[in-house]
Amino acid sequence: MRRTKEARELAERAAGLSRRLGDRLPAASASLLLAGTARAEGRPEAARAAATEALAAFEAHGDRRGMAKARLAIAAAALDLDEIDGAVDALACIMGEFDALGDRRGLVEAQELAREARRRRGLR
């Protein structure tokens, strides 16, 4: 947990510095890190908020890979919030995005999250 806290603090500093400089892409990447640390800390609402902020910046710059990663983080937060059907639907699209980009790592990560979402759906 200590490393997660350190990672969050560093990501918060990076995001703040990037925003002050007016550089939205590094700020968006830092927001994705914040989403990951918030999720690891069990704060899915904060994770969704950070990923949504990152998505807006990536969309403004037309960064398709960044958009896919942000959408994946939003879907992960939705799953943590027990919004399982929405997460499953979103993940189907996200897998297509990663596949179209040729991003094998992103695709595998999305597939793993989709398996977890389907497993949880079956447990309800």
Short mmCIF file of all heavy atoms in Angstrom, two decimals, residues 36-98:
data_model
loop_
_atom_site.label_atom_id
_atom_site.label_comp_id
_atom_site.label_asym_id
_atom_site.label_seq_id
_atom_site.Cartn_x
_atom_site.Cartn_y
_atom_site.Cartn_z
N GLY A 36 -5.24 4.35 -12.00
CA GLY A 36 -4.72 3.05 -11.58
C GLY A 36 -4.46 2.98 -10.09
O GLY A 36 -4.77 1.98 -9.43
N THR A 37 -3.88 4.04 -9.55
CA THR A 37 -3.61 4.03 -8.11
C THR A 37 -4.90 4.12 -7.31
O THR A 37 -5.04 3.44 -6.28
CB THR A 37 -2.64 5.16 -7.69
OG1 THR A 37 -3.20 6.42 -8.03
CG2 THR A 37 -1.29 4.98 -8.33
N ALA A 38 -5.86 4.89 -7.79
CA ALA A 38 -7.15 4.97 -7.08
C ALA A 38 -7.83 3.60 -7.07
O ALA A 38 -8.38 3.18 -6.06
CB ALA A 38 -8.06 6.01 -7.73
N ARG A 39 -7.74 2.90 -8.18
CA ARG A 39 -8.34 1.56 -8.24
C ARG A 39 -7.63 0.62 -7.28
O ARG A 39 -8.28 -0.14 -6.55
CB ARG A 39 -8.27 1.03 -9.67
CG ARG A 39 -9.02 -0.28 -9.81
CD ARG A 39 -9.19 -0.71 -11.25
NE ARG A 39 -10.07 -1.86 -11.27
CZ ARG A 39 -9.75 -3.01 -11.84
NH1 ARG A 39 -8.61 -3.16 -12.47
NH2 ARG A 39 -10.60 -4.02 -11.80
N ALA A 40 -6.31 0.69 -7.24
CA ALA A 40 -5.54 -0.16 -6.33
C ALA A 40 -5.85 0.15 -4.87
O ALA A 40 -5.76 -0.73 -4.01
CB ALA A 40 -4.05 -0.01 -6.61
N GLU A 41 -6.20 1.39 -4.59
CA GLU A 41 -6.54 1.81 -3.23
C GLU A 41 -8.01 1.55 -2.89
O GLU A 41 -8.45 1.87 -1.80
CB GLU A 41 -6.24 3.30 -3.05
CG GLU A 41 -4.77 3.63 -3.10
CD GLU A 41 -4.49 5.13 -3.11
OE1 GLU A 41 -5.36 5.92 -3.54
OE2 GLU A 41 -3.40 5.50 -2.68
N GLY A 42 -8.76 0.97 -3.84
CA GLY A 42 -10.17 0.69 -3.58
C GLY A 42 -11.06 1.91 -3.68
O GLY A 42 -12.09 1.98 -3.01
N ARG A 43 -10.69 2.86 -4.54
CA ARG A 43 -11.48 4.08 -4.72
C ARG A 43 -11.95 4.17 -6.18
O ARG A 43 -11.44 4.96 -6.97
CB ARG A 43 -10.63 5.30 -4.34
CG ARG A 43 -10.17 5.29 -2.88
CD ARG A 43 -9.33 6.50 -2.47
NE ARG A 43 -8.21 6.74 -3.36
CZ ARG A 43 -8.03 7.86 -4.09
NH1 ARG A 43 -8.90 8.83 -4.05
NH2 ARG A 43 -6.96 7.99 -4.85
N PRO A 44 -12.95 3.35 -6.54
CA PRO A 44 -13.36 3.29 -7.95
C PRO A 44 -13.97 4.59 -8.48
O PRO A 44 -13.80 4.89 -9.67
CB PRO A 44 -14.37 2.14 -7.99
CG PRO A 44 -14.83 1.99 -6.58
CD PRO A 44 -13.69 2.40 -5.71
N GLU A 45 -14.65 5.37 -7.65
CA GLU A 45 -15.21 6.64 -8.12
C GLU A 45 -14.08 7.59 -8.51
O GLU A 45 -14.15 8.28 -9.54
CB GLU A 45 -16.11 7.29 -7.06
CG GLU A 45 -17.45 6.60 -6.87
CD GLU A 45 -18.42 6.82 -8.03
OE1 GLU A 45 -18.13 7.62 -8.94
OE2 GLU A 45 -19.46 6.16 -8.02
N ALA A 46 -13.03 7.64 -7.69
CA ALA A 46 -11.87 8.49 -8.01
C ALA A 46 -11.16 7.97 -9.26
O ALA A 46 -10.69 8.77 -10.08
CB ALA A 46 -10.92 8.53 -6.83
N ALA A 47 -11.12 6.66 -9.41
CA ALA A 47 -10.50 6.07 -10.60
C ALA A 47 -11.27 6.48 -11.85
O ALA A 47 -10.67 6.87 -12.86
CB ALA A 47 -10.45 4.55 -10.47
N ARG A 48 -12.58 6.40 -11.78
CA ARG A 48 -13.40 6.78 -12.94
C ARG A 48 -13.23 8.26 -13.26
O ARG A 48 -13.10 8.64 -14.42
CB ARG A 48 -14.87 6.45 -12.71
CG ARG A 48 -15.70 6.88 -13.90
CD ARG A 48 -17.10 6.37 -14.04
NE ARG A 48 -17.83 6.10 -12.85
CZ ARG A 48 -18.81 5.20 -12.79
NH1 ARG A 48 -19.13 4.48 -13.85
NH2 ARG A 48 -19.47 5.00 -11.68
N ALA A 49 -13.22 9.11 -12.24
CA ALA A 49 -13.07 10.55 -12.46
C ALA A 49 -11.73 10.86 -13.13
O ALA A 49 -11.67 11.65 -14.09
CB ALA A 49 -13.20 11.30 -11.14
N ALA A 50 -10.66 10.25 -12.66
CA ALA A 50 -9.33 10.49 -13.24
C ALA A 50 -9.26 9.99 -14.68
O ALA A 50 -8.72 10.66 -15.56
CB ALA A 50 -8.25 9.84 -12.38
N ALA A 51 -9.83 8.81 -14.93
CA ALA A 51 -9.80 8.25 -16.28
C ALA A 51 -10.67 9.07 -17.24
O ALA A 51 -10.33 9.24 -18.41
CB ALA A 51 -10.26 6.79 -16.26
N THR A 52 -11.78 9.59 -16.74
CA THR A 52 -12.66 10.42 -17.57
C THR A 52 -11.95 11.72 -17.95
O THR A 52 -12.06 12.20 -19.08
CB THR A 52 -13.98 10.69 -16.83
OG1 THR A 52 -14.62 9.43 -16.57
CG2 THR A 52 -14.91 11.57 -17.64
N GLU A 53 -11.21 12.28 -17.00
CA GLU A 53 -10.42 13.49 -17.29
C GLU A 53 -9.37 13.19 -18.36
O GLU A 53 -9.17 13.97 -19.29
CB GLU A 53 -9.75 13.97 -16.00
CG GLU A 53 -8.93 15.22 -16.17
CD GLU A 53 -8.29 15.66 -14.87
OE1 GLU A 53 -8.89 15.48 -13.79
OE2 GLU A 53 -7.17 16.19 -14.93
N ALA A 54 -8.71 12.06 -18.22
CA ALA A 54 -7.70 11.67 -19.21
C ALA A 54 -8.34 11.47 -20.58
O ALA A 54 -7.79 11.91 -21.59
CB ALA A 54 -7.00 10.38 -18.76
N LEU A 55 -9.50 10.84 -20.62
CA LEU A 55 -10.19 10.59 -21.89
C LEU A 55 -10.46 11.89 -22.63
O LEU A 55 -10.24 11.99 -23.84
CB LEU A 55 -11.48 9.81 -21.65
CG LEU A 55 -12.34 9.52 -22.88
CD1 LEU A 55 -11.56 8.71 -23.91
CD2 LEU A 55 -13.62 8.81 -22.47
N ALA A 56 -10.94 12.90 -21.91
CA ALA A 56 -11.23 14.19 -22.55
C ALA A 56 -9.99 14.79 -23.20
O ALA A 56 -10.04 15.30 -24.33
CB ALA A 56 -11.82 15.15 -21.52
N ALA A 57 -8.86 14.70 -22.51
CA ALA A 57 -7.62 15.25 -23.07
C ALA A 57 -7.16 14.44 -24.27
O ALA A 57 -6.74 15.00 -25.29
CB ALA A 57 -6.54 15.29 -22.00
N PHE A 58 -7.22 13.13 -24.17
CA PHE A 58 -6.80 12.29 -25.30
C PHE A 58 -7.71 12.53 -26.51
O PHE A 58 -7.25 12.57 -27.65
CB PHE A 58 -6.80 10.81 -24.92
CG PHE A 58 -5.67 10.42 -24.01
CD1 PHE A 58 -5.92 9.70 -22.84
CD2 PHE A 58 -4.35 10.74 -24.30
CE1 PHE A 58 -4.88 9.32 -22.00
CE2 PHE A 58 -3.30 10.38 -23.46
CZ PHE A 58 -3.57 9.66 -22.31
N GLU A 59 -9.01 12.70 -26.27
CA GLU A 59 -9.95 12.98 -27.37
C GLU A 59 -9.60 14.32 -28.03
O GLU A 59 -9.64 14.43 -29.25
CB GLU A 59 -11.39 13.00 -26.87
CG GLU A 59 -11.94 11.63 -26.58
CD GLU A 59 -13.33 11.65 -25.97
OE1 GLU A 59 -13.74 12.69 -25.39
OE2 GLU A 59 -14.02 10.62 -26.07
N ALA A 60 -9.28 15.32 -27.22
CA ALA A 60 -8.94 16.64 -27.76
C ALA A 60 -7.72 16.58 -28.67
O ALA A 60 -7.60 17.37 -29.61
CB ALA A 60 -8.71 17.63 -26.62
N HIS A 61 -6.83 15.64 -28.41
CA HIS A 61 -5.61 15.51 -29.20
C HIS A 61 -5.71 14.41 -30.26
O HIS A 61 -4.75 14.20 -31.00
CB HIS A 61 -4.41 15.24 -28.29
CG HIS A 61 -3.96 16.47 -27.57
ND1 HIS A 61 -3.10 17.38 -28.12
CD2 HIS A 61 -4.28 16.95 -26.35
CE1 HIS A 61 -2.90 18.37 -27.27
NE2 HIS A 61 -3.60 18.13 -26.19
N GLY A 62 -6.83 13.71 -30.30
CA GLY A 62 -6.98 12.64 -31.28
C GLY A 62 -6.07 11.45 -31.02
O GLY A 62 -5.72 10.72 -31.95
N ASP A 63 -5.68 11.24 -29.77
CA ASP A 63 -4.78 10.14 -29.39
C ASP A 63 -5.62 8.88 -29.18
O ASP A 63 -6.17 8.65 -28.10
CB ASP A 63 -4.02 10.52 -28.12
CG ASP A 63 -3.01 9.47 -27.69
OD1 ASP A 63 -3.18 8.28 -28.03
OD2 ASP A 63 -2.07 9.85 -26.97
N ARG A 64 -5.73 8.06 -30.22
CA ARG A 64 -6.60 6.89 -30.17
C ARG A 64 -6.15 5.86 -29.14
O ARG A 64 -6.99 5.27 -28.46
CB ARG A 64 -6.67 6.24 -31.56
CG ARG A 64 -7.42 7.12 -32.56
CD ARG A 64 -7.44 6.53 -33.95
NE ARG A 64 -7.97 5.19 -33.96
CZ ARG A 64 -7.56 4.23 -34.79
NH1 ARG A 64 -6.62 4.46 -35.68
NH2 ARG A 64 -8.10 3.03 -34.74
N ARG A 65 -4.85 5.64 -29.01
CA ARG A 65 -4.36 4.68 -28.02
C ARG A 65 -4.66 5.19 -26.61
O ARG A 65 -5.10 4.44 -25.75
CB ARG A 65 -2.87 4.41 -28.20
CG ARG A 65 -2.34 3.38 -27.22
CD ARG A 65 -0.95 2.90 -27.56
NE ARG A 65 -1.06 1.84 -28.57
CZ ARG A 65 -0.66 1.96 -29.84
NH1 ARG A 65 -0.11 3.06 -30.27
NH2 ARG A 65 -0.80 0.95 -30.67
N GLY A 66 -4.43 6.46 -26.38
CA GLY A 66 -4.74 7.05 -25.08
C GLY A 66 -6.23 6.95 -24.77
O GLY A 66 -6.61 6.64 -23.63
N MET A 67 -7.06 7.18 -25.79
CA MET A 67 -8.50 7.07 -25.58
C MET A 67 -8.88 5.65 -25.19
O MET A 67 -9.69 5.43 -24.28
CB MET A 67 -9.27 7.50 -26.84
CG MET A 67 -9.21 8.99 -27.10
SD MET A 67 -10.25 9.53 -28.49
CE MET A 67 -9.29 8.98 -29.89
N ALA A 68 -8.29 4.67 -25.87
CA ALA A 68 -8.60 3.26 -25.56
C ALA A 68 -8.17 2.91 -24.14
O ALA A 68 -8.90 2.25 -23.40
CB ALA A 68 -7.94 2.34 -26.58
N LYS A 69 -6.99 3.39 -23.74
CA LYS A 69 -6.51 3.11 -22.39
C LYS A 69 -7.41 3.77 -21.34
O LYS A 69 -7.70 3.18 -20.30
CB LYS A 69 -5.07 3.59 -22.23
CG LYS A 69 -4.07 2.75 -22.98
CD LYS A 69 -2.66 3.28 -22.79
CE LYS A 69 -1.65 2.43 -23.53
NZ LYS A 69 -0.28 2.93 -23.30
N ALA A 70 -7.84 4.99 -21.62
CA ALA A 70 -8.72 5.68 -20.68
C ALA A 70 -10.07 4.97 -20.59
O ALA A 70 -10.61 4.80 -19.49
CB ALA A 70 -8.91 7.14 -21.10
N ARG A 71 -10.59 4.53 -21.73
CA ARG A 71 -11.87 3.80 -21.70
C ARG A 71 -11.73 2.49 -20.94
O ARG A 71 -12.66 2.07 -20.24
CB ARG A 71 -12.35 3.56 -23.13
CG ARG A 71 -12.86 4.81 -23.80
CD ARG A 71 -13.44 4.53 -25.17
NE ARG A 71 -13.88 5.74 -25.80
CZ ARG A 71 -13.32 6.29 -26.88
NH1 ARG A 71 -12.30 5.69 -27.47
NH2 ARG A 71 -13.78 7.42 -27.37
N LEU A 72 -10.58 1.85 -21.07
CA LEU A 72 -10.34 0.61 -20.32
C LEU A 72 -10.35 0.91 -18.81
O LEU A 72 -10.93 0.15 -18.03
CB LEU A 72 -9.01 -0.01 -20.74
CG LEU A 72 -8.62 -1.32 -20.07
CD1 LEU A 72 -9.66 -2.41 -20.36
CD2 LEU A 72 -7.24 -1.76 -20.56
N ALA A 73 -9.71 1.99 -18.41
CA ALA A 73 -9.70 2.36 -16.98
C ALA A 73 -11.10 2.70 -16.49
O ALA A 73 -11.47 2.36 -15.36
CB ALA A 73 -8.75 3.54 -16.76
N ILE A 74 -11.90 3.34 -17.33
CA ILE A 74 -13.29 3.65 -16.96
C ILE A 74 -14.09 2.36 -16.80
O ILE A 74 -14.87 2.20 -15.86
CB ILE A 74 -13.93 4.60 -17.99
CG1 ILE A 74 -13.26 5.98 -17.93
CG2 ILE A 74 -15.45 4.71 -17.77
CD1 ILE A 74 -13.59 6.89 -19.10
N ALA A 75 -13.89 1.41 -17.71
CA ALA A 75 -14.59 0.12 -17.62
C ALA A 75 -14.17 -0.64 -16.37
O ALA A 75 -15.00 -1.27 -15.70
CB ALA A 75 -14.31 -0.72 -18.87
N ALA A 76 -12.89 -0.58 -16.01
CA ALA A 76 -12.41 -1.25 -14.80
C ALA A 76 -13.07 -0.64 -13.57
O ALA A 76 -13.49 -1.36 -12.66
CB ALA A 76 -10.89 -1.14 -14.70
N ALA A 77 -13.19 0.68 -13.55
CA ALA A 77 -13.86 1.35 -12.42
C ALA A 77 -15.33 0.96 -12.37
O ALA A 77 -15.88 0.71 -11.29
CB ALA A 77 -13.71 2.86 -12.54
N ALA A 78 -15.97 0.87 -13.53
CA ALA A 78 -17.38 0.46 -13.57
C ALA A 78 -17.53 -0.94 -13.00
O ALA A 78 -18.48 -1.22 -12.24
CB ALA A 78 -17.90 0.53 -15.01
N LEU A 79 -16.62 -1.82 -13.34
CA LEU A 79 -16.66 -3.18 -12.81
C LEU A 79 -16.52 -3.16 -11.29
O LEU A 79 -17.26 -3.85 -10.58
CB LEU A 79 -15.55 -4.02 -13.46
CG LEU A 79 -15.51 -5.49 -13.08
CD1 LEU A 79 -16.81 -6.19 -13.47
CD2 LEU A 79 -14.34 -6.16 -13.78
N ASP A 80 -15.59 -2.35 -10.79
CA ASP A 80 -15.40 -2.24 -9.34
C ASP A 80 -16.62 -1.66 -8.64
O ASP A 80 -16.84 -1.94 -7.46
CB ASP A 80 -14.17 -1.39 -9.03
CG ASP A 80 -12.87 -2.05 -9.45
OD1 ASP A 80 -12.88 -3.29 -9.69
OD2 ASP A 80 -11.86 -1.34 -9.55
N LEU A 81 -17.39 -0.86 -9.37
CA LEU A 81 -18.61 -0.27 -8.82
C LEU A 81 -19.82 -1.19 -9.02
O LEU A 81 -20.95 -0.78 -8.76
CB LEU A 81 -18.87 1.10 -9.46
CG LEU A 81 -17.88 2.19 -9.04
CD1 LEU A 81 -17.95 3.37 -10.01
CD2 LEU A 81 -18.17 2.62 -7.62
N ASP A 82 -19.56 -2.40 -9.51
CA ASP A 82 -20.59 -3.41 -9.74
C ASP A 82 -21.55 -3.02 -10.86
O ASP A 82 -22.70 -3.44 -10.89
CB ASP A 82 -21.36 -3.73 -8.44
CG ASP A 82 -21.88 -5.15 -8.43
OD1 ASP A 82 -21.24 -6.03 -9.03
OD2 ASP A 82 -22.95 -5.38 -7.83
N GLU A 83 -21.06 -2.20 -11.80
CA GLU A 83 -21.82 -1.85 -13.00
C GLU A 83 -21.39 -2.82 -14.11
O GLU A 83 -20.78 -2.44 -15.11
CB GLU A 83 -21.54 -0.40 -13.38
CG GLU A 83 -21.98 0.59 -12.32
CD GLU A 83 -21.48 2.00 -12.56
OE1 GLU A 83 -20.81 2.26 -13.59
OE2 GLU A 83 -21.73 2.85 -11.69
N ILE A 84 -21.70 -4.07 -13.88
CA ILE A 84 -21.13 -5.15 -14.67
C ILE A 84 -21.61 -5.14 -16.12
O ILE A 84 -20.80 -5.26 -17.04
CB ILE A 84 -21.42 -6.51 -14.00
CG1 ILE A 84 -20.71 -6.53 -12.64
CG2 ILE A 84 -20.96 -7.66 -14.87
CD1 ILE A 84 -21.10 -7.66 -11.73
N ASP A 85 -22.90 -4.97 -16.34
CA ASP A 85 -23.39 -4.99 -17.73
C ASP A 85 -22.78 -3.87 -18.56
O ASP A 85 -22.38 -4.08 -19.70
CB ASP A 85 -24.92 -4.91 -17.75
CG ASP A 85 -25.58 -6.17 -17.19
OD1 ASP A 85 -24.94 -7.24 -17.26
OD2 ASP A 85 -26.71 -6.08 -16.69
N GLY A 86 -22.68 -2.68 -17.97
CA GLY A 86 -22.05 -1.57 -18.68
C GLY A 86 -20.59 -1.83 -18.98
O GLY A 86 -20.09 -1.49 -20.05
N ALA A 87 -19.90 -2.45 -18.03
CA ALA A 87 -18.48 -2.77 -18.23
C ALA A 87 -18.32 -3.78 -19.36
O ALA A 87 -17.45 -3.62 -20.22
CB ALA A 87 -17.87 -3.30 -16.94
N VAL A 88 -19.16 -4.81 -19.38
CA VAL A 88 -19.07 -5.84 -20.44
C VAL A 88 -19.30 -5.22 -21.80
O VAL A 88 -18.55 -5.47 -22.75
CB VAL A 88 -20.07 -6.99 -20.17
CG1 VAL A 88 -20.18 -7.92 -21.38
CG2 VAL A 88 -19.65 -7.78 -18.93
N ASP A 89 -20.33 -4.38 -21.91
CA ASP A 89 -20.63 -3.73 -23.19
C ASP A 89 -19.47 -2.84 -23.64
O ASP A 89 -19.07 -2.86 -24.81
CB ASP A 89 -21.91 -2.90 -23.09
CG ASP A 89 -23.16 -3.76 -22.89
OD1 ASP A 89 -23.10 -4.98 -23.15
OD2 ASP A 89 -24.19 -3.20 -22.46
N ALA A 90 -18.94 -2.04 -22.72
CA ALA A 90 -17.84 -1.15 -23.06
C ALA A 90 -16.60 -1.93 -23.47
O ALA A 90 -15.90 -1.57 -24.42
CB ALA A 90 -17.52 -0.23 -21.88
N LEU A 91 -16.33 -3.02 -22.77
CA LEU A 91 -15.12 -3.81 -23.06
C LEU A 91 -15.16 -4.43 -24.44
O LEU A 91 -14.11 -4.56 -25.09
CB LEU A 91 -14.91 -4.86 -21.97
CG LEU A 91 -14.40 -4.28 -20.66
CD1 LEU A 91 -14.62 -5.25 -19.51
CD2 LEU A 91 -12.94 -3.90 -20.79
N ALA A 92 -16.34 -4.78 -24.93
CA ALA A 92 -16.44 -5.32 -26.29
C ALA A 92 -15.93 -4.30 -27.30
O ALA A 92 -15.17 -4.64 -28.22
CB ALA A 92 -17.87 -5.73 -26.59
N CYS A 93 -16.31 -3.05 -27.12
CA CYS A 93 -15.84 -1.98 -28.01
C CYS A 93 -14.36 -1.71 -27.82
O CYS A 93 -13.62 -1.50 -28.78
CB CYS A 93 -16.64 -0.70 -27.76
SG CYS A 93 -18.38 -0.83 -28.20
N ILE A 94 -13.93 -1.69 -26.57
CA ILE A 94 -12.53 -1.39 -26.25
C ILE A 94 -11.60 -2.45 -26.86
O ILE A 94 -10.54 -2.12 -27.39
CB ILE A 94 -12.35 -1.28 -24.73
CG1 ILE A 94 -13.10 -0.06 -24.20
CG2 ILE A 94 -10.87 -1.21 -24.36
CD1 ILE A 94 -13.34 -0.07 -22.71
N MET A 95 -12.01 -3.71 -26.82
CA MET A 95 -11.19 -4.76 -27.42
C MET A 95 -11.03 -4.50 -28.91
O MET A 95 -9.93 -4.67 -29.46
CB MET A 95 -11.79 -6.14 -27.15
CG MET A 95 -11.59 -6.59 -25.72
SD MET A 95 -12.13 -8.28 -25.40
CE MET A 95 -13.90 -8.09 -25.37
N GLY A 96 -12.11 -4.06 -29.57
CA GLY A 96 -12.03 -3.73 -30.99
C GLY A 96 -11.08 -2.57 -31.26
O GLY A 96 -10.35 -2.57 -32.26
N GLU A 97 -11.09 -1.59 -30.36
CA GLU A 97 -10.19 -0.44 -30.52
C GLU A 97 -8.73 -0.88 -30.43
O GLU A 97 -7.90 -0.50 -31.27
CB GLU A 97 -10.48 0.62 -29.45
CG GLU A 97 -11.81 1.31 -29.62
CD GLU A 97 -12.14 2.24 -28.47
OE1 GLU A 97 -11.20 2.77 -27.83
OE2 GLU A 97 -13.34 2.45 -28.21
N PHE A 98 -8.40 -1.66 -29.41
CA PHE A 98 -7.02 -2.12 -29.26
C PHE A 98 -6.61 -3.00 -30.44
O PHE A 98 -5.48 -2.90 -30.93
CB PHE A 98 -6.83 -2.87 -27.94
CG PHE A 98 -6.67 -1.98 -26.75
CD1 PHE A 98 -7.53 -2.09 -25.67
CD2 PHE A 98 -5.66 -1.02 -26.68
CE1 PHE A 98 -7.39 -1.28 -24.56
CE2 PHE A 98 -5.51 -0.21 -25.58
CZ PHE A 98 -6.37 -0.33 -24.51
#
